[in-house]
Amino acid sequence: MSGQGFDTWILEFRGAGLSVQASNLKELKQSADAVSEQIEAIAKSVANEVSPQKQPTGVSGYLSDSEFYFLREDSIGIGTAWDEAKLVAELTEIFMRLSERLSGFLSESQSRLISTKLLDQISKLLEDSQLSERFEEVRIKLANVLEKQQNSVIASQIRDLSQRLVNIIEGGQRSVSPQFIDIQERLSSTIEDFQKQLDLIVKYDWDFDHYLEEDVPAAMEYIRAQTKPKDGKLLAIGHSMGGILLYAMLSRCGSEGREPRLKAVVTMASALDYRCSKPLKVLLPLADPAQALNVPAVPFGALLAAAYPLASRPPYVLGWLNDLISAEDMMHPELLEKLVLNNFCTIPTKLIMQLTSAFGDKGLCNRSGKLSYRDHLNKSNVPVLAIAGDQDLICPPEAVEETAKLFPENLVTYKLFGEPHGPHYAHYDLVGGRL
């Protein structure tokens, strides 16, 4: 496209690829260059089957505790000196953040659920009946405080209750009972786990509608300002979720009677209804909102990169993964390896949960569930070319075709790539295949 004279831009959404948080263009470029170097280092590390412990310092893309934390039932930390003041401060900070509901990131019910889980963890450390009774009293008071409006008085109460909790633990440590030998270390580890859990919830707090309502409009406005098209319109091409976002944008504009300011749209391997895609259901496993509190983000890229040696080398234990990405002999092996090791990212659970609506009767919906993005495509006045791959298991051709049928017939073209006797196209062959 660039060679044919188009000003060509590639958008990467927050949390993906080279996207970084920065306040100015110079800082942005430096940060993006650093991320690019890290991604390459990770890819080489995995490709050479280097263990995670040997990865370059500071690389955040690989599966690591700093990026991805399952809360462990039996967290046992490395033995450290007992620092009562530090533990009180950390406990107080956790409960303060929960009482403020992480500055609006969590709902009241989610905040209550997380605080209950923390108190349950501490309760398991205190299996002595006498200590359990003392803990239960503090637990009830804490629960009451966390449900109130946050203010300076509550802050003082939370600190006092945190101090009492630590005192109970210290009392347990002096017990002759053998189960208290490592109680201080276990409490420290439990608190540290929760701090990382809360940080991760805040760090990955976005869903599909954030991309649609904030990221895409910001990028389009920036590109218009740079390129100054005469009619103010852009040509948009989207692959997979990029195409889904373009469908949703056209639907949202149709429902609100707004002009999308798009000259035309091309989608590749995109649909709004994925009920016929069995593999994608495996990739979107979280349907229960409560699970988002245990796993606020899924390091899909790291997991896929770690699994790649099992998919690409004998005995090909996970060979089926390749079929999801590319049809046989369609993508150059080196390109396929680069794609797997670099292309995928950590996915917020909120995003996964919203995308699961694409398996329901209404198709993909907005975060409230009130607007189905299928409903207003018939009002669109933008020409659409919808492309599908004949061996796409993630977004099957029938799903693409059904979405295309929702547009005015004179404005949509559906194209299936692939022939009965070959060549064939899977999900990523539409953008990276040899042909």
Side-chain angles (χ1 to χ4, degrees), residues 342-418:
N342 291 280
N343 184 64
F344 304 96
C345 59
T346 297
I347 307 173
T349 304
K350 278 189 172 183
L351 173 59
I352 294 176
M353 284 161 47
Q354 186 172 355
L355 291 176
T356 57
S357 67
F359 298 106
D361 294 336
K362 295 169 64 178
L364 182 67
C365 296
N366 66 349
R367 68 169 64 97
S368 69
K370 295 179 180 179
L371 173 65
S372 169
Y373 289 123
R374 293 188 315 192
D375 288 349
H376 301 280
L377 295 180
N378 61 336
K379 302 174 184 175
S380 175
N381 61 356
V382 177
V384 173
L385 170 62
I387 298 174
D390 66 328
Q391 287 192 0
D392 190 339
L393 301 176
I394 293 177
C395 184
E398 52 267 35
V400 179
E401 188 172 17
E402 287 302 311
T403 299
K405 289 178 180 178
L406 299 172
F407 286 92
E409 190 173 347
N410 64 316
L411 288 177
V412 67
T413 302
Y414 168 73
K415 172 67 178 176
L416 177 65
F417 275 61

Side-chain angles (χ1 to χ4, degrees), residues 213 249-259 371 376 379:
E213 297 167 2
M249 182 180 175
L250 294 176
S251 178
R252 177 71 67 88
C253 289
S255 70
E256 298 172 358
R258 288 189 293 115
E259 170 59 51
L371 173 65
H376 301 280
K379 302 174 184 175

Side-chain angles (χ1 to χ4, degrees), residues 261-276:
R261 300 177 73 184
L262 290 170
K263 190 76 172 179
V265 161
V266 181
T267 66
M268 297 181 285
S270 306
L272 293 175
D273 185 336
Y274 283 81
R275 282 176 290 181
C276 56

Side-chain angles (χ1 to χ4, degrees), residues 232-347:
K233 294 182 178 182
L234 306 178
L235 166 63
I237 303 176
H239 173 258
S240 197
M241 191 173 69
I244 299 173
L245 278 158
L246 293 174
Y247 285 146
M249 182 180 175
L250 294 176
S251 178
R252 177 71 67 88
C253 289
S255 70
E256 298 172 358
R258 288 189 293 115
E259 170 59 51
R261 300 177 73 184
L262 290 170
K263 190 76 172 179
V265 161
V266 181
T267 66
M268 297 181 285
S270 306
L272 293 175
D273 185 336
Y274 283 81
R275 282 176 290 181
C276 56
S277 174
K278 293 181 180 179
L280 196 60
K281 290 181 181 179
V282 177
L283 300 179
L284 301 179
L286 302 175
D288 179 6
Q291 288 183 279
L293 306 178
N294 291 329
V295 191
V298 177
F300 185 64
L303 293 173
L304 200 57
Y308 182 68
L310 298 175
S312 59
R313 301 167 192 173
Y316 303 105
V317 177
L318 295 177
W320 56 271
L321 277 176
N322 289 339
D323 295 335
L324 292 180
I325 297 170
S326 177
E328 187 175 2
D329 295 328
M330 177 52 78
M331 195 175 289
H332 191 282
E334 288 184 10
L335 181 60
L336 177 61
E337 181 178 53
K338 268 199 166 187
L339 180 75
V340 174
L341 299 182
N342 291 280
N343 184 64
F344 304 96
C345 59
T346 297
I347 307 173

